[in-house]
Amino acid sequence: MRLSRYPVNTAKETPADAEVISHQLMLRAGLIRRLAAGIYTFLPMGLRAVRKVEKIIREEMDRAGAYEMLMPAVQPAELWQESARWEQYGPELLRFKDRHDREFVIGPTAEEVITDVARRELKSYRQLPVNFYQIQMKFRDEIRPRFGVMRGREFLMKDAYSFHADQESLAEGYAAMKTAYTRMFERMGLTFRAVRADTGSIGGSASEEFQVLADSGEDAIAVSDADDYAANLELAPTPVYDGKRPAATQSLATVPTPATKTIADVSKLLGVDATRCVKTLIVEGSDGGVVAMVIRGDHEMNAVKAQKVAGVASPLRMATAQRVLAGTGTEPGFLGPVGLKCRIVVDHAAAALADFVCGANARDAHLTGVNWGRDLPEPETADLRNVVAGDPSPSGQGKLAIRRGIEVGHIFQLGRKYSEAMQASVLDPAGKPLTPLMGCYGIGVTRVVAAAIEQNHDDKGIIWPDPIAPYTVLLVTLNHDRSEAVRNAADSLYAELGAAGIDVLYDDRDARPGVKFADAELLGIPHCVIIGDRGLAAGQLEYRHRRTGATGELPVNGLLDALRARLA
RNA sequence: CGGGGCGUGGCGCAGUCUGGUAGCGCAUCUGGUUUGGGACCAGAGGGUCGGAGGUUCAAAUCCUCUCGCCCCGACCA
């Protein structure tokens, strides 16, 4: 493509409403434009990157034996009523009526449609297993769309659905998808982890997220430094209390701590490390009472884990100050497990403490030298906290580090939730109806593009990984309009590279070098070849690698071969 | 939905407090000079100041209502 004729506008200034780097760069590089909140147009340059991602996805899905199809974006309400998600999904599901007053949704996902396809098309167990996929626009009316295309309302998604006669087959299909996903993201040149995830509202057994690691990611994940263990922070288990703790060396004492309500303040006032303090959080119980959660001072309570404790309300609700007073007789800020008048559940790490500090259940006072089993009963323990960096990995190998990630893919073993609700069945070998097990596998295509930029950029602009770059090679002329030699050489090189099947962008604009170089860096095309009078006289071209900044000379004759060696 | 903020040419902003000829930079167009890191000179086009109503001799500016957008939170296959 000749840049002089290419409909792309770059901007020096960062749009005011773009928060994250990928959003800023996509706007500045002329990849996308906002149409409404969370709804974006992909301009030609941006679409190129999307298509590259799609191509890799298609190749790997096809390799895994899946069949591409295309389902409607607009889906009738009846299907959603059948699966009961019409009621369950809430306002995130965009609903509307057609001219005949019939209700429809714009699909946020397609389990209902594919299950409808399956019950019509699949008749025999002999047709299983089978995996269908599509790449289609989805719409989710997010409460707060943000970060440009990374968390938009309308987005392009690859969704796949598999059908199986038994659990073993489902597990195989799931494993095949995991392999395919791993290949895809590797091919895209992204640094990612497959992360154990909460199955959430979708239900089902196994589930893993594919997270692109980036500091700006919305999800916190715990990764082992010694093996490939990775789990969503919400899910990573902490070590179970082993019944061992240091012997008590201090005696129980009440100390005055006026207006000292936070762990940080208590720790400072008493000169005791937060790791030897304990905080007591009061949550609503499922029986109308309250439950006390005791956590080490430096730890954070994990809502997902806490609400799984029997007798605790789910979803988790913190008790109000009045409820705390009514349920425990003490006000927040000075709560402690000693003599507390409600059920107490203690985190494993807090249970392992000796000589610790906690609230005295009296205004302006704390207890020091507290010991389980002596000053209060041995605790009921549970995993209540988030893992922290340095905790041992649940895999048994190494220690955990906390990283941030962008969820670009998610694979599920769904089970029979939809096939049962929508009565999809095939005949088994005995001629009896068999309800197939399902798996579903998603990839946020447009989000992958944003995540790739989030992970690959510098202060000058985008640094595309070769496989998903809109163009692979950028040809830049200097002194374009006045030097016939440059123009002729560039024109023929452009034709040569194009004929060789290389995606080449040709900056043939009559612009100053600074403008061209700045745009080259902003656009982030991986390989840049500069054609100027100076080098041309010596039969040389200048080469620059966007990622490494490495420069070098390439011969005019034999550019193609020299480039190919670098494209690898 | 709760809290905070912002709507002024395509983009970034000033002007609003204290009412009085709509301005600056970038971008765009024309002509000229320039040409290896975002040039310079001269000129040009482009704005119902988000919208509606009100106060006033006069409203971007004050008042009321409304719409949109951004940030934080809750939420999130």
Side-chain angles (χ1 to χ4, degrees):
Chain A
M1 236 22 238
R2 298 179 99 101
L3 203 47
S4 64
R5 300 290 311 143
Y6 205 84
V8 61
N9 290 300
T10 57
K12 269 189 273 198
E13 284 171 306
T14 301
D17 56 3
E19 182 75 357
V20 297
I21 297 281
S22 60
H23 189 196
Q24 294 173 358
L25 291 176
M26 289 179 86
L27 253 14
R28 285 187 53 209
L31 269 37
I32 57 168
R33 295 290 181 243
R34 193 185 69 89
L35 215 216
I39 301 177
Y40 291 84
T41 296
F42 272 82
L43 297 172
M45 185 74 75
L47 216 219
R48 300 261 323 178
V50 172
R51 294 289 185 240
K52 292 274 181 101
V53 171
E54 285 181 14
K55 183 165 185 283
I56 292 173
I57 291 174
R58 284 200 171 90
E59 286 172 6
E60 294 302 332
M61 290 303 292
D62 292 347
R63 182 206 298 270
Y67 298 95
E68 183 169 9
M69 60 191 292
L70 186 59
M71 291 179 265
V74 171
Q75 308 172 3
E78 288 76 21
L79 244 36
W80 287 75
Q81 285 156 353
E82 269 193 77
S83 71
R85 283 162 109 193
W86 180 256
E87 291 78 31
Q88 290 165 8
Y89 220 92
E92 208 176 297
L93 181 62
L94 182 64
R95 305 155 206 243
F96 64 97
K97 288 179 181 174
D98 71 4
R99 67 200 301 167
H100 304 297
D101 227 31
R102 291 204 188 92
E103 293 194 283
F104 286 87
V105 308
I106 300 192
T109 173
E111 280 84 2
E112 282 80 2
V113 179
I114 194 67
T115 306
D116 183 65
V117 169
R119 69 183 168 187
R120 293 168 192 276
E121 306 297 327
L122 301 179
K123 298 164 169 66
S124 158
Y125 75 97
R126 293 174 193 269
Q127 292 171 288
L128 304 181
V130 65
N131 186 332
F132 298 107
Y133 78 98
Q134 68 168 347
I135 296 178
Q136 166 71 296
M137 274 299 176
K138 300 290 188 296
F139 194 95
R140 290 180 194 175
D141 202 353
E142 296 271 353
I143 296 172
R144 185 149 89 85
R146 60 188 128 175
F147 304 150
V149 115
M150 212 148 88
R151 192 169 195 72
R153 292 194 292 173
E154 187 183 85
F155 56 98
L156 194 59
M157 174 168 129
K158 187 285 301 181
D159 46 326
Y161 307 88
S162 64
F163 295 84
H164 306 270
D166 54 39
Q167 177 59 38
E168 189 188 354
S169 168
L170 173 58
E172 279 169 18
Y174 178 89
M177 281 296 108
K178 184 174 179 181
T179 303
Y181 274 38
T182 301
R183 292 183 60 105
M184 287 176 205
F185 295 122
E186 274 172 1
R187 282 184 60 189
M188 290 174 201
L190 300 173
T191 305
F192 67 97
R193 289 278 192 136
V195 172
R196 292 163 209 226
D198 193 354
T199 48
S201 51
I202 278 259
S205 43
S207 167
E208 281 160 291
E209 293 170 350
F210 283 76
Q211 297 266 1
V212 166
L213 300 181
D215 294 337
S216 58
E218 290 189 90
D219 299 328
I221 53 185
V223 302
S224 166
D225 60 8
D227 61 16
D228 65 356
Y229 179 87
N232 195 304
L233 185 72
E234 292 178 345
L235 236 62
T238 60
V240 173
Y241 172 54
D242 57 5
K244 294 182 190 135
R245 67 170 74 98
T249 62
Q250 301 174 7
S251 51
L252 184 67
T254 304
V255 295
T257 53
T260 312
K261 291 190 169 189
T262 67
I263 290 289
D265 291 345
V266 171
S267 165
K268 199 172 157 195
L269 182 75
L270 302 180
V272 175
D273 200 82
T275 57
R276 295 199 33 241
C277 297
V278 131
K279 57 185 161 192
T280 305
L281 306 168
I282 308 297
V283 302
E284 294 288 345
S286 53
D287 59 356
V290 295
V291 178
M293 301 265 160
V294 175
I295 319 270
R296 216 170 75 182
D298 59 322
H299 287 152
E300 251 176 34
M301 183 165 71
N302 175 315
V304 173
K305 292 177 178 179
Q307 73 194 16
K308 282 181 186 158
V309 173
V312 170
S314 181
L316 190 75
R317 290 195 315 276
M318 298 300 293
T320 61
Q322 290 97 319
R323 290 274 296 153
V324 172
L325 197 57
T328 66
T330 306
E331 64 181 286
F334 303 99
L335 289 165
V338 182
L340 196 65
K341 293 181 294 183
C342 70
R343 180 175 162 215
I344 300 171
V345 183
V346 179
D347 180 66
H348 297 301
L353 292 175
D355 298 332
F356 63 88
V357 173
C358 66
N361 295 324
R363 177 185 274 272
D364 295 341
H366 278 75
L367 301 176
T368 63
V370 184
N371 284 281
W372 302 109
R374 185 191 73 181
D375 309 317
L376 69 174
E378 282 294 337
E380 170 190 353
T381 60
D383 183 356
L384 298 177
R385 67 173 175 98
N386 286 332
V387 294
V388 295
D391 275 337
S393 169
S395 62
Q397 301 288 316
K399 290 188 189 325
L400 292 179
I402 309 299
R403 300 287 300 269
R404 300 207 68 85
I406 300 164
E407 181 188 346
V408 290
H410 203 154
I411 57 178
F412 282 92
Q413 292 189 26
L414 271 184
R416 296 195 176 87
K417 176 172 175 179
Y418 297 93
S419 48
E420 215 155 59
M422 298 180 61
Q423 294 162 38
S425 72
V426 298
L427 292 181
D428 73 6
K432 296 270 176 0
L434 181 160
T435 304
L437 290 154
M438 291 173 63
C440 79
Y441 320 92
I443 292 180
V445 178
T446 42
R447 184 183 279 187
V448 165
V449 173
I453 294 172
E454 211 58 51
Q455 194 179 70
N456 298 280
H457 67 269
D458 62 15
D459 56 349
K460 301 223 175 73
I462 300 168
I463 304 176
W464 289 111
D466 284 38
I468 61 174
Y471 293 90
T472 311
V473 173
L474 176 65
L475 229 48
V476 175
T477 50
L478 299 175
N479 209 6
H480 188 93
D481 272 29
R482 283 172 307 124
S483 171
E484 199 180 342
V486 164
R487 226 179 308 135
N488 289 342
D491 284 354
S492 68
L493 288 170
Y494 172 56
E496 184 189 351
L497 297 184
I502 293 174
D503 287 330
V504 50
L505 184 63
Y506 176 17
D507 188 352
D508 60 339
R509 295 175 301 173
D510 177 27
R512 300 170 67 83
V515 173
K516 291 191 164 196
F517 292 149
D519 276 345
E521 280 148 352
L522 213 212
L523 291 174
I525 307 304
H527 307 274
C528 183
V529 175
I530 300 156
I531 304 158
D533 283 310
R534 219 163 58 191
L536 215 49
Q540 296 290 314
L541 304 168
E542 186 176 330
Y543 168 84
R544 288 189 195 172
H545 190 233
R546 177 66 180 94
R547 184 175 296 275
T548 60
T551 59
E553 303 272 283
L554 298 180
V556 175
N557 299 316
L559 172 67
L560 187 58
D561 291 339
L563 266 183
R564 275 199 174 128
R566 287 162 204 266
L567 301 186

